[in-house]
Amino acid sequence: GSPLKQIQVEIETGSLNVNVRDRGGLLLTHLSAAYDRVDLLAWLVEVKGMNINAKDCQDRTVLDVANASKATSTTHWILEWEARRTIAAFVQKNYRRLIVVRKQKRLTKAALSIQTQCRGYSARKLHRGVLLCRIEESQHFSAVWGHLIGSTTSCGNIKHSSWSAIREKTSDMKNTEFSYDEHYFADTDEQLSRALVEALEIEDNDAENKIITDEVAPSDTEDEQSYDVIDDVTRNTSWLNFQMTSHVVKFLKQGDPKYKAFFVRRMQQLASGERSRILQKRLKGSKSTIYETYLEQKSGFRILWIEEGDDIVIWFVAKHKEVSRLMTLIDDSQSRTARQQVPESVIDQLQNHNLVTQEKPRRVLLDVFGNTPMKLYDIKLHSIDDIEKDRWVPSLHLTDEEREIVESEGTTLVLGRSGTGKTICIANRMEFDRQRYGRDPTFSQLFVARSKRLCRYVSETVGIDTKSTFQTYEELVQDLSATLPSVEGKEEKHFYPSRRINFQRFKRDFCSSDTSPKVKEVSPLIIWTVIRTFIKGSIEAFQSPNGILPRDSFLTVETLGKNRCRIPVELRGNIYDEFEKYERARIKLGLWDDSDRMRTLLTRIEEAKAADPEAFDQITKSRLYVDEIQDYTQIECLLFFYLGGPGGLFLAGDSAQSVVEGTEFRFEEIRSVGYFIAGSSTNSRSLVPQKPKTVNVNFRSHAGILNTAAAILDLMFTYFPSSAKQLQSDHGLFQGSRPGVLHKISTQQLATLLSVKLKGAVLLVHDESAYYWRKILDYKLVYGIRESKGLEFKSVILLNFFQELPSSLQKPWRNLLLNRESRSDFEVKYPLVGTQLKLIYTGITRSIERLFFVETSGSIAGDTAVRWLTTSSLRGNQSEATKHPRQQALATRNDISDIETMAMTADEFLVEGFNNAEMAESGELDLVQAQTALERAIWCFEQANDVELATKGRAHRLGLQYRLDLDIYTSERGENDAALVVAKGAQVIEVLAKEGLLMEVMNVYNSINTLLGEYAKEELERQFISRVRNAISSCDV
C-alpha cells in the first residue's frame, strides 16, 4: 500500500529490485495487478519496461492475476494497453510498407519521365518534319477557315437551306398556299375547349338561341361592314352532298377533335335546312356569292363556302382575320372559272368559225392559286360523322373522264397536249392509290420526272407521305447506282459527270470533218438521235451483243420499222460508220453516254433479281408514276418497268413535245417495252400498257393561243404523220385574244417594248441564240425553247423563230406553210423540219395569256409565216379537221403603238424569280445554264424591289461563278495557286452561309474538296460541314 513515489524512489535507489520475485514467484507487475495498483503497473511497464506478459510460478500473466484478483481497473488498463500496442504495431508495419510503395512509385515515375523525355526527343528528332507540317497546317487552317467557322456558329438556327424553302417562307407571295400549322390553332384552343363543354351541357336549341343572342351584339374586333345578312334566313334549302377543298381536308386532319366535332355539327345543321345569321351569312364586298358559317362563336373560326349547283363547296376554314384575303382568292378563282361562261351568241359565232368545239364546255372550278382544276373531295351526309374518326379518308371528287383514267387497271398511258392536266391526272392517281392501298404496310409509291420543279409541284399537290417518294430521273439513277450490288466477276464502272457525253459535246468533239458528202448533209442532231434512240437506246439494241444494234439490223428497214426510224436507207450505212468512229473515240477517251450508264444499271438490276432478291425488293415500288415520258428512250423506259412491277406503272406525256435532243419518241414504243418484259407468259400481260387514254381540256392557254398551236399540229400530222400521235383538238376553258405578230421591228424597238409595255414578258428563241439575245437586248428573261419546256409564262414572245432557221430549210418551210410540198416524201427529205415543228409547238404552248411572234428582219420562211398567221386565204391555211379554209386568221398583225401595257406585278416577278433560282439550284442544268437562270432570278427580284432576295441571288451567283472559274484555276495550278483558290472558296462559302444558301455551300465545298489537305478536311467536317448537314436535314424536316 506504499505510495507510488515511495516505491519509485526505492527502485531508483536500488533498495527494491524490479526483477526480484517474491516467495510465490510474483514479479512487481503481478503484485501491482493483484493489488489493483494501476498507477504502479503503468509506471513499471511504460517507464521501466517490464514485460506485461511475464508469467509467475503458476504460469499466469499479469492479466490473469488481475482477473483472479478481480482488479477491474488494472484489467481494463491492461486490455487498453495491449490494444494500443496491437494498433501501433499494425500501423507501423503498414506505414513502412506505404513508405516502400511510395518510394517505388517515385522511382517508377522518375523512370517513366526519363523514358518519356527520351522517347519524345527521339520522336521529335524522327518526325520533326511531320510535326512542323501539322503545326503549319493548323495555323494555315485557322487563317483561312477560322473566320468562317467563328461567324457561322448559328447554322442550326437557319430556317431555310434552299430556294424552295425560301419560297415557302416568303409570306408576302400572292400565291403562297394557305396553311394550317400548330401555331395557327394554339391561340384559340383554350377558348374552343371551353365552348365545347358549354355546348355539350345544353340542348341544341338552347345553344342556338344563346349563340344568336351573342351575335346580336357583335364583338369589337369584328368588322360588321364586311358582311351582308341573307335576305331570307328561314328558307329551308337542304343538301345531301358536300364538296370540300384540300385546304379544308388539311384543316380537319391537323385539327384537334373538338374542331372536327363543331365542323360536323355545322354541316349537319346546314344539311337539315337550318338557317341563321351564324349559319349562313353572305360576305359583303365579294363579287361572287360567298357565305360564311361560324365554326363556334367564341373561337373566331369561320367556314367559307359557296353554292355550286345542288351541292355546296367548302373552300376554307379560317380565322376571322383571314376572311378578307381568302374571299379575294375565292372571287379571283370564281372570276377565272366564269370566263368559261361565254354568251350563247358568241359561242355560236366561234363554233361557226371552228374556233371551239360543238360540245357544250363543262364548268370546272379552278384552284385559287392557278389555272388548274380545284382538287375537291366528296362528303356524303350519311357518312359525315366519319370526319371525327382518326383514320378518316375522304373520297377524291372525279369527273367521269377523270375517273376513267384514275381508276384504270394495269399499266396506264395518258396522252395529252401541253397544259391539258396530265400532271394533275398523275397527282389524282397517286392520291387514289393511297386511299386504295395505303393501309398495306408494303405499299410504296415513286414519282419520277426530269424536272426538280415538277417533283416539288406534285409532292405539294399530293402531300408528303412516308410511303411516297418524289425524285428526278437523275436522282433515281444515282440512288440505284449506290444501292445495287456490283455485278460479280466484273469490274465496277464509274460514271463521273465530267466524262459524260451530251449532244453539245458530241457536236463539238465527235462530228468529224472527214465524213462522206452524204453524211455532211445530215444534221449532227439527227446522227445523235439515231445513236441515242436506235443504235444504243432501243429494246432491239438492249437484246443485242454488247447492247449495240448490229449494222445489218440497222440497215434492214423491217428491224425498226419504216415509221419508227425514218432515216433513208441510202444514208444508214454512212451514219453507222459515224457511230463506229464515235464509239471508238469514246472508248479511247474513257467517256460515257446515257445509254452506257443505263445498260450497266439494267444489267445490275437483272443480276440482283437473280442472285440477291432482297436487294431487288428494296428498289422496287408498288406503284411508279412518270411524267413527260416522251423524254425517255426505250431502255430508259425499261428501267421503269423493272421497278414498277406488274401493272404498277402510270405514264403521262405528249409526243408532240418530244424536243429533248437525241430522243425520238412514239407511244407505240412504250407498249413494245411492255411486250418485251411480258415475253411469252400470259400471266405477265398486265405489264403491257393499254392504249393511251387522252385528255383534251386545256387548263393553261386560252382558245386564241390553242388555235395557233392546233394549226402547227395540223402541219405536223399532215407532213410527219408518224412523228406524234394525232388527237382531237384541245379546247381551252377560256376564250382569249389571238396572238400578235410584229414583223421587221428593230432590236432597239423591241428593247423599248420590253422595258415599258411588256416588262416581264418572256422571250423564247432557238437555244443556241439565247445567249446572244440576252446580251443584245440586255434582258434577262430570254429562254431557249428546249430550256423552257415544262414551264409556263403569262406573256411570251417567240423571237426570230423563222428567220434563224437554217438557210437550207427556208424554202422547205415556205413550201410547207403554202402546202406546195408533196406529203409522201417531205418527211424523208426534211426530217429536221419535224423537230422544228415540235419546237415551235412547245414554244407556243408556254403562253398563258398573251403570245407574240416577232421577226426582226425578213426571211423566206419568216415572211411566209407572217402571211400564214395573219391571213385566212392562203392555200395552206386550212384545218385538217374540217378540210375547209379557216374563216379567221390565226393571229393579228400589230403595230408597237397598239400593244397594251402588260407589265408583270411585283408578285409575278417574285414567282418568276423563284422559278429561275430553283432551276439554278436543282442540278438539272450545267453551270453556265444555272448561272443564266440565276441572272434571270436576280433581275426579277430587283424588278420586285426585294433587296433581300436579290442579295441572296447575288451570293448564289458568286458561288456558281467560283465553281465555273475553278476549272481554270485547277488546270495548271501550283501549290501557291491552290492555296489562293481554297482561300477564295472559304470567303465564298462564308457569304453563302450568311445568306442561308446551305445547298450551294455544300456544292462549293464539294468542288474544292480535292484541293484540301487531310487535316483541313477533318477539321472542316468536325467544326463546320457536319453542322451544315444537320441544318439542311432540319430544314428539310
Side-chain angles (χ1 to χ4, degrees):
S2 301
L4 176 62
K5 288 186 178 181
Q6 182 180 351
I7 297 173
Q8 290 175 339
V9 170
E10 291 179 1
I11 292 174
E12 294 295 341
T13 60
S15 299
L16 182 62
N17 189 349
V18 295
N19 296 316
V20 176
R21 295 176 184 266
D22 66 3
R23 288 190 298 269
L26 299 176
L27 292 171
L28 286 177
T29 53
H30 294 90
L31 291 172
S32 299
Y35 288 98
D36 201 15
R37 289 291 300 273
V38 176
D39 54 344
L40 179 59
L41 180 63
W43 182 78
L44 291 173
V45 173
E46 292 176 354
V47 177
K48 302 307 289 183
M50 293 187 71
N51 186 3
I52 200 170
N53 294 316
K55 296 180 180 180
D56 63 6
C57 61
Q58 296 181 18
D59 199 29
R60 294 181 301 173
T61 63
V62 177
L63 180 60
D64 293 336
V65 173
N67 287 330
S69 302
K70 297 183 179 181
T72 307
S73 298
T74 303
T75 302
H76 182 70
W77 183 88
I78 293 171
L79 291 174
E80 285 186 353
W81 186 86
E82 287 183 343
R84 286 197 302 271
R85 287 293 300 272
T86 302
I87 292 172
F90 175 81
V91 170
Q92 187 177 17
K93 178 182 178 181
N94 283 278
Y95 175 73
R96 289 173 182 172
R97 184 183 299 169
L98 179 62
I99 294 300
V100 172
V101 171
R102 286 180 177 177
K103 184 177 180 180
Q104 185 65 38
K105 285 185 177 180
R106 285 197 299 270
L107 290 174
T108 303
K109 184 177 181 180
L112 289 174
S113 177
I114 294 171
Q115 291 173 359
T116 300
Q117 293 181 23
C118 292
R119 284 197 302 267
Y121 174 79
S122 300
R124 286 192 295 273
K125 185 176 180 180
L126 181 63
H127 303 290
R128 182 173 182 275
V130 176
L131 290 171
L132 292 176
C133 181
R134 177 53 61 95
I135 293 173
E136 184 179 349
E137 283 181 344
S138 177
Q139 293 172 344
H140 180 71
F141 178 83
S142 298
V144 174
W145 299 99
H147 190 270
L148 165 67
I149 294 172
S151 63
T152 56
T153 56
S154 60
C155 281
N157 296 327
I158 294 176
K159 301 303 182 185
H160 50 258
S161 62
S162 63
W163 283 107
S164 297
I166 295 172
R167 181 204 287 263
E168 293 175 3
K169 299 296 183 182
T170 304
S171 59
D172 61 342
M173 290 289 294
K174 181 179 179 181
N175 66 337
T176 298
E177 183 174 0
F178 187 76
S179 62
Y180 305 98
D181 54 24
E182 293 181 0
H183 176 72
Y184 190 82
F185 298 104
D187 57 352
T188 59
D189 188 74
E190 184 177 352
Q191 297 179 41
L192 205 53
S193 297
R194 292 196 303 266
L196 181 62
V197 173
E198 295 175 5
L200 295 176
E201 289 178 348
I202 56 180
E203 295 294 327
D204 284 352
N205 292 335
D206 293 339
E208 192 65 32
N209 293 333
K210 179 180 184 299
I211 296 174
I212 294 175
T213 302
D214 292 340
E215 175 60 23
V216 174
S219 62
D220 295 336
T221 59
E222 186 169 341
D223 182 8
E224 280 295 309
Q225 294 182 353
S226 299
Y227 306 98
D228 274 343
V229 181
I230 57 173
D231 295 333
D232 183 9
V233 297
T234 61
R235 65 178 182 173
N236 191 30
T237 303
S238 60
W239 292 280
L240 296 177
N241 300 318
F242 298 89
Q243 291 179 341
M244 61 177 63
T245 67
S246 57
H247 310 290
V248 180
V249 172
K250 187 176 182 180
F251 175 92
L252 294 172
K253 283 183 172 293
Q254 293 185 358
D256 192 90
K258 62 177 76 64
Y259 297 96
K260 300 179 183 179
F262 275 112
F263 182 86
V264 168
R265 182 165 177 264
R266 291 304 189 209
M267 294 302 102
Q268 290 171 336
Q269 288 174 317
L270 287 173
S272 65
E274 291 185 44
R275 294 296 178 268
S276 70
R277 298 181 65 183
I278 70 159
L279 284 175
Q280 184 172 355
K281 178 191 289 184
R282 178 176 177 178
L283 297 182
K284 185 177 181 179
S286 61
K287 299 176 182 177
S288 55
T289 303
I290 305 173
Y291 299 105
E292 76 159 4
T293 296
Y294 283 53
L295 183 64
E296 192 277 329
Q297 173 68 13
K298 298 179 181 180
S299 68
F301 275 94
R302 307 290 192 265
I303 303 170
L304 304 185
W305 55 277
I306 66 170
E307 293 178 319
E308 182 71 19
D310 295 331
D311 299 334
I312 67 171
V313 178
I314 307 165
W315 290 70
F316 293 103
V317 181
K319 290 182 181 178
H320 172 256
K321 64 181 180 181
E322 299 284 353
V323 168
S324 179
R325 183 172 74 89
L326 297 178
M327 178 186 74
T328 303
L329 290 175
I330 297 173
D331 267 339
D332 179 67
S333 173
Q334 290 285 77
S335 176
R336 286 181 283 116
T337 301
R339 288 167 57 190
Q340 306 166 50
Q341 306 299 314
V342 183
E344 293 293 335
S345 58
V346 177
I347 291 179
D348 292 340
Q349 183 179 1
L350 292 171
Q351 289 175 339
N352 292 335
H353 291 163
N354 299 312
L355 296 180
V356 298
T357 62
Q358 299 297 320
E359 299 177 1
K360 182 180 179 180
R362 61 186 177 94
R363 176 178 168 88
V364 178
L365 288 178
L366 299 180
D367 191 82
V368 292
F369 302 122
N371 285 343
T372 56
M374 173 73 74
K375 183 187 285 189
L376 296 172
Y377 296 85
D378 290 326
I379 309 296
K380 304 296 183 182
L381 179 60
H382 64 79
S383 61
I384 198 168
D385 289 331
D386 292 344
I387 292 176
E388 298 187 59
K389 298 179 180 178
D390 291 337
R391 300 182 66 87
W392 171 65
V393 178
S395 299
L396 187 67
H397 175 76
L398 300 170
T399 63
D400 293 340
E401 296 86 351
E402 291 168 339
R403 189 171 301 279
E404 180 184 358
I405 293 174
V406 169
E407 296 183 0
S408 58
E409 297 293 336
T411 297
T412 304
L413 294 176
V414 178
L415 172 57
R417 300 301 178 218
S418 175
T420 53
K422 299 183 295 295
T423 305
I424 295 296
C425 285
I426 290 180
N428 289 342
R429 176 59 177 258
M430 290 188 72
E431 184 153 355
F432 176 78
D433 286 343
R434 279 186 188 178
Q435 295 177 358
R436 192 175 183 182
Y437 307 109
R439 296 186 180 182
D440 183 351
T442 64
F443 176 71
S444 59
Q445 294 177 303
L446 171 63
F447 172 81
V448 180
R450 294 265 185 191
S451 165
K452 187 72 174 179
R453 181 184 177 192
L454 193 54
C455 288
R456 181 175 62 83
Y457 170 77
V458 174
S459 67
E460 291 175 352
T461 302
V462 177
I464 303 298
D465 187 271
T466 56
K467 297 181 179 181
S468 304
T469 307
F470 305 86
Q471 286 187 308
T472 64
Y473 172 74
E474 188 62 29
E475 290 171 344
L476 172 63
V477 171
Q478 291 179 2
D479 282 356
L480 291 173
S481 299
T483 303
L484 287 168
S486 301
V487 178
E488 186 176 355
K490 294 185 179 180
E491 182 181 355
E492 185 175 355
K493 296 181 179 180
H494 298 283
F495 297 94
Y496 298 110
S498 59
R499 295 186 173 275
R500 176 175 177 261
I501 302 174
N502 55 16
F503 173 64
Q504 286 72 25
R505 193 169 190 171
F506 171 80
K507 184 178 179 181
R508 182 190 67 208
D509 299 340
F510 293 93
C511 288
S512 58
S513 57
D514 58 345
T515 56
S516 65
K518 286 186 177 180
V519 175
K520 284 184 178 179
E521 298 177 3
V522 180
S523 164
L525 179 59
I526 293 178
I527 298 176
W528 177 248
T529 301
V530 169
I531 293 173
R532 190 173 185 274
T533 300
F534 301 117
I535 298 179
K536 296 183 75 172
S538 63
I539 283 295
E540 291 80 4
F542 184 71
Q543 299 175 80
S544 303
N546 300 319
I548 294 175
L549 190 68
R551 176 187 286 268
D552 292 344
S553 298
F554 180 66
L555 297 181
T556 304
V557 176
E558 289 75 14
T559 302
L560 298 173
K562 64 178 182 179
N563 291 330
R564 182 176 165 197
C565 180
R566 299 183 296 277
I567 301 298
V569 176
E570 60 270 18
L571 291 178
R572 294 193 179 194
N574 300 106
I575 290 177
Y576 204 91
D577 291 338
E578 288 299 305
F579 159 70
E580 290 178 330
K581 292 179 184 178
Y582 157 75
E583 196 69 3
R584 288 193 296 268
R586 180 192 66 76
I587 295 173
K588 181 179 179 181
L589 295 172
L591 304 178
W592 59 274
D593 57 34
D594 291 341
S595 299
D596 299 320
R597 181 176 64 170
M598 183 50 56
R599 186 171 62 252
T600 299
L601 187 60
L602 292 173
T603 302
R604 290 175 63 185
I605 292 175
E606 291 175 343
E607 289 284 337
K609 185 177 182 180
D612 193 347
E614 184 176 347
F616 177 75
D617 290 340
Q618 289 179 355
I619 65 171
T620 57
K621 301 293 179 181
S622 305
R623 293 291 183 272
L624 192 147
Y625 316 83
V626 184
D627 204 357
E628 306 288 5
I629 190 64
Q630 76 277 356
D631 293 342
Y632 300 91
T633 63
Q634 275 192 314
I635 62 171
E636 290 170 340
C637 293
L638 181 59
L639 172 67
F640 303 139
F641 278 84
Y642 277 177
L643 300 181
L649 292 179
F650 192 89
L651 314 173
D654 176 14
S655 51
Q657 296 183 71
S658 179
V659 296
V660 171
E661 293 162 330
T663 302
E664 183 76 15
F665 177 88
R666 299 187 316 160
F667 268 89
E668 289 80 356
E669 271 63 85
I670 297 292
R671 305 193 74 204
S672 300
V673 177
Y675 279 110
F676 166 74
I677 291 291
S680 59
S681 173
T682 56
N683 295 330
S684 300
R685 289 300 176 182
S686 60
L687 284 167
V688 180
Q690 308 167 17
K691 291 184 178 180
K693 299 182 182 298
T694 60
V695 287
N696 300 100
V697 177
N698 196 290
F699 297 100
R700 176 186 296 158
S701 306
H702 56 68
I705 295 170
L706 292 178
N707 291 334
T708 306
I712 296 295
L713 291 177
D714 280 345
L715 293 174
M716 185 187 304
F717 296 137
T718 301
Y719 289 93
F720 299 86
S722 58
S723 64
K725 188 173 182 63
Q726 187 166 5
L727 304 175
Q728 296 179 1
S729 298
D730 293 352
H731 59 277
L733 291 176
F734 320 118
Q735 304 303 322
S737 60
R738 291 175 290 172
V741 176
L742 297 171
H743 193 211
K744 296 182 180 179
I745 69 170
S746 68
T747 302
Q748 183 58 45
Q749 288 176 310
L750 179 57
T752 302
L753 185 66
L754 291 171
S755 63
V756 181
K757 291 187 175 183
L758 292 179
K759 189 174 185 179
V762 168
L763 268 67
L764 298 184
V765 299
H766 291 280
D767 289 72
E768 54 270 21
S769 303
Y771 177 81
Y772 168 81
W773 284 109
R774 274 193 291 271
K775 293 298 182 183
I776 291 296
L777 296 173
D778 190 23
Y779 191 69
K780 302 301 182 184
L781 298 185
V782 180
Y783 293 75
I785 296 177
R786 285 190 174 90
E787 180 187 6
S788 71
K789 184 176 172 293
L791 305 178
E792 58 183 37
F793 311 102
K794 183 177 179 180
S795 299
V796 170
I797 298 174
L798 272 169
L799 176 60
N800 279 3
F801 179 87
F802 299 100
Q803 188 217 322
E804 294 181 2
L805 292 171
S807 57
S808 60
L809 296 178
Q810 289 283 331
K811 288 184 178 179
W813 261 95
R814 178 194 64 187
N815 296 337
L816 172 75
L817 295 173
L818 298 178
N819 200 17
R820 293 177 179 175
E821 286 283 352
S822 169
R823 302 182 182 185
S824 60
D825 60 352
F826 187 83
E827 184 174 14
V828 175
K829 292 167 61 178
Y830 308 108
L832 200 57
V833 174
T835 301
Q836 292 162 352
L837 281 168
K838 292 182 179 180
L839 275 178
I840 192 172
Y841 170 78
T842 300
I844 289 171
T845 53
R846 298 310 93 199
S847 175
I848 297 174
E849 293 187 13
R850 292 298 304 273
L851 173 66
F852 295 93
F853 295 89
V854 175
E855 298 285 314
T856 57
S857 61
S859 63
I860 295 174
D863 294 347
T864 306
V866 170
R867 292 173 56 204
W868 182 78
L869 287 166
T870 56
T871 62
S872 58
S873 58
L874 290 182
R875 177 186 174 191
N877 206 341
Q878 67 179 27
S879 170
E880 287 300 312
T882 62
K883 302 299 181 182
H884 296 293
R886 294 186 175 88
Q887 300 299 313
Q888 188 177 28
L890 295 170
T892 60
R893 194 157 183 167
N894 296 114
D895 186 87
I896 291 180
S897 59
D898 297 333
I899 296 177
E900 298 179 359
T901 300
M902 291 191 64
M904 291 203 301
T905 65
D907 286 338
E908 290 170 334
F909 272 118
L910 283 180
V911 171
E912 191 60 31
F914 277 121
N915 290 343
N916 281 279
E918 289 174 12
M919 286 174 58
E921 191 179 52
S922 66
E924 301 166 23
L925 311 178
D926 60 37
L927 291 178
V928 175
Q929 293 171 328
Q931 194 175 41
T932 299
L934 203 56
E935 292 285 354
R936 295 193 201 107
I938 296 169
W939 185 81
C940 288
F941 293 145
E942 289 173 343
Q943 301 307 309
N945 294 320
D946 196 310
V947 177
E948 181 181 355
L949 291 176
T951 302
K952 290 183 184 295
R954 295 186 192 98
H956 192 172
R957 180 177 61 187
L958 183 66
L960 286 176
Q961 187 61 53
Y962 175 79
R963 288 198 282 154
L964 272 170
D965 294 341
L966 196 60
D967 292 338
I968 302 174
Y969 290 151
T970 57
S971 58
E972 296 180 359
R973 69 177 189 274
E975 185 176 346
N976 293 333
D977 294 331
L980 291 175
V981 170
V982 171
K984 177 65 175 176
Q987 296 173 0
V988 171
I989 289 176
E990 184 175 350
V991 173
L992 292 168
K994 181 180 177 182
E995 295 299 332
L997 298 171
L998 302 187
M999 298 296 292
E1000 184 62 17
V1001 166
M1002 293 302 302
N1003 289 336
V1004 174
Y1005 171 74
N1006 291 333
S1007 68
I1008 63 172
N1009 189 267
T1010 56
L1011 302 179
L1012 300 175
E1014 291 302 319
Y1015 176 82
K1017 289 180 182 178
E1018 293 172 3
E1019 289 300 305
L1020 276 175
E1021 179 66 33
R1022 182 175 65 85
Q1023 299 186 52
F1024 177 67
I1025 296 300
S1026 60
R1027 298 206 313 268
V1028 172
R1029 290 197 182 99
N1030 291 337
I1032 292 175
S1033 299
S1034 62
C1035 291
D1036 290 343
V1037 173

